[in-house]
Structure formats: C-alpha cells, structure tokens
Amino acid sequence: MAELRADVLVLGAGMVGVGAALHLQKRGRDVTLIDRHDTAGEGTSFGNAGLIESASVFPYMFPRDFGQILRYALNRSPQVRYSISDLPAFLPWLVRYFLASSPERAMRSAMAELPLIRRSLIEHEALIAEANVPELLRRTGWIKLFRSDATLANAAHELERARQYGVAGEVLDAKAIAAREPNLTGDFAGAVYFPAPGFVPDPGGLAKAYAALFGRKGGRFFVGDARTLEQTGGRWRVATPEGAVTAREVVVAMGPWSDQVFGPLGYSIPLSVKRGYHLHLEPRGNAVLHHPVLDTDLGYLLAPMNSGIRLTTGVEFARRDAPPSPVQIERALPRAHALFPLGAPVDAQPWMGARPCLPDMLPVIGKAPRHAGLWFDFGHQHHGLTLGPATGRLLAEMMTGETPFADPGPFAAERFG
C-alpha cells in the first residue's frame, strides 16, 4: 500500500485532538486525525457534565481542610473514592498533587489557565456556528446546590473571589431555587447560579460535529494504533489498516492514554487519571430539568442531556485500566431520585471514563524538548470539553509561528524536569 502523507498527524480524536486539528487546518496545514475508534468523541470526551466552564477560574486542587482530607482517607466522602488495592500505584502522584495544591502554587495554576478559560466559550461558539450545530449549545448556565450553611458560606466566599476575575454569579435562596428548578425536592441552605457557562446536551455528539467539519474542509480521519508511532527519515509514521501515514509533525492529544506514546519515547511526565462514571435515566412524568445541577454536599450532578438525565459521579482514584467499580453511582442513585423525579435507566450499565490530570492541574501544551516535530496537547483534567478548542488554538499558534494568545510557558513539558 502507498504511503499517505500529511503535514501534521494528530493522535486522538477527542475534543482536544479535534480542536487542535481544526485550528491547524485553519492555518493552512494538511492534517490527518488518527484514533483507535472509527468515530470521534468516543473516549473521555463522551462522558462529562456537558459544561463549557467559562466561570471556572480556580482548578480542582487537593483540599487543605483536615476534616475533608480525613473523610477522603477513610473513603467516606461522596465526592471522592479510591481503590485500596490500587493505592500503591497512585499514592506518589497524590503526594505531588497535594504539594502542587498549596495556596501559592494553586493560584499560579489558576492565573496560568485563566486566559484559556476566558477564551473557551468564544472558541466553541465559533466552531459551533461553522459546524452549523446551534442545537448543541444551550446558554442556561448551571447551579450548585448546598445543603448546609457552612458549605454555602464557603461557596459565597469563593464566588466573591472569582468575581475579581470577571465571573458572574448569583446566590439563590430556597425560593429562587424553586423558581429556576420547580421539580427539585430537598432541604437546601441555598445555591449559587452561574449564568455564563455554556451547556452541551451531547458532548460526544459535539466532538463528532467538529470532526465532520474537519472532514468537510478536507481533513482525513483514519483508525490506527498510536503506539506504532516511530520517527524515520525526519518524518513521523503511524500504521493504519489503509497503510502507513507520515508527516513532518505529530501532536499527541490522547488524553489519559498519552503515556502510551510519550513513555516509550523517554519522557517522564506525571500523568495520572481521575476516573468517573455516568448513567442516563428517564425523567418521570412531565418533570423537566432546566439546568445542570450539582448536589455539592452529596457529590453528584444531574444534567439534562439529549439521551436523558445524566447522573455523573465525583472522582475515583484507581488505575486507568482497572475494572469498573461503579460504587459511586450506586450510592448516588437514591440521593438523585430524592432530588428529582427520575424513572428507569436508559443505559444498560454505567459508563466509565478517565480524566487525564497532571499534579498542578494544568495541561501539557507545546513542543517536546528532545524530538523534532513532536508536540503535546494533553492533561486537561476536568476541562477537556471546556478547553479543547482554546488549547487547540494555542498549540496551532505555537506550531505555525504566530504570537500565542496566552503565555505557553506554564504548560511546557519541561516543568517536570
């Protein structure tokens, strides 16, 4: 079979990879997307809360409150669970995560990511318009519910801090919660409503819509195994069933599987995962959920997806490829049924995915330090859907010699030595 040639290979067709491919294509590059699935958006991008989190200034850092840490350690927190058998595998990474979460270092991470957060919805709106899928963006914002005065007071404090960076929000009392979501039932101290973030009722479908746009503009998509990547004769080569595909440059955008490429190439980047689960359920009767709603103190979220009401869990620390253990879904189900009129499950079983995370909760974006033509774009933690197009733009600007819209320094792979 004849060798297929391109300017750039992008490995990974999730939201991050497709975002990078579109921005490179826009700048005149002949781009080929390669993924292990035959369609885009089938991995991590398929399962999330559907939020384009343009109001999320502060990353999800390791807590500093002793009581909260103790609940995590005893596996008694609804927000976080860990697998005891996998503890030796991820404990060293957790230590690095804790150290990177000091107030000073956490603020550095927040300020580094802020330009990307501010650009996130703008980039999505442009691509959604170009892909002609306006139905995949709802401007509803979202709601964080609180069941105790203490957690509500802490959230109100965090909102005031975020307002310094342009975040809009409103503290709701019980009456205001009922006005926005009349079908919710519970004893709430209050809530915080964030009006600015966009909501995507089919995250996997949005990645597919972007991939279809990429194809209409001349981009090629192949099923292939990124682990076959090799550098020969100044070009990068990946095997596919249609034959080898080569390019001068390659982008690793494989989310939690990126280590399968950078590891064999000799890079020691502390990529780990936070696993999560979701399950779709039918609404009962005429009940309608108008916003994504996070039941903060009980550690789950409900979102009104096209496939039904999506129940998503918090974080599970376990090996990426360990068998599913949907304990958090089982614990959340009765709580969710008490919050909102839910009917039968739509899915045969819960979906499981893995969020790719670095200890400082910043992605790796930029040139690999020891290989010509190798670029990284992975580790977007909880914000792959949010940041994919924005980091794709940043990477494309770096690769084509434009002035980057944000300082790329904090995202360099070299920060890990």
Side-chain angles (χ1 to χ4, degrees), residues 222-244:
F222 292 103
V223 175
D225 186 347
R227 293 172 297 180
T228 66
L229 180 70
E230 59 180 355
Q231 190 178 30
T232 57
R235 295 182 69 83
W236 291 94
R237 179 184 184 276
V238 173
T240 79
E242 286 78 17

Side-chain angles (χ1 to χ4, degrees), residues 172-209:
L172 308 179
D173 59 16
K175 183 177 179 181
I177 294 170
R180 289 193 172 277
E181 291 290 357
N183 289 294
L184 297 185
T185 302
D187 186 12
F188 309 118
V192 175
Y193 169 59
F194 296 95
F199 171 61
V200 177
D202 182 359
L206 185 62
K208 290 174 174 60

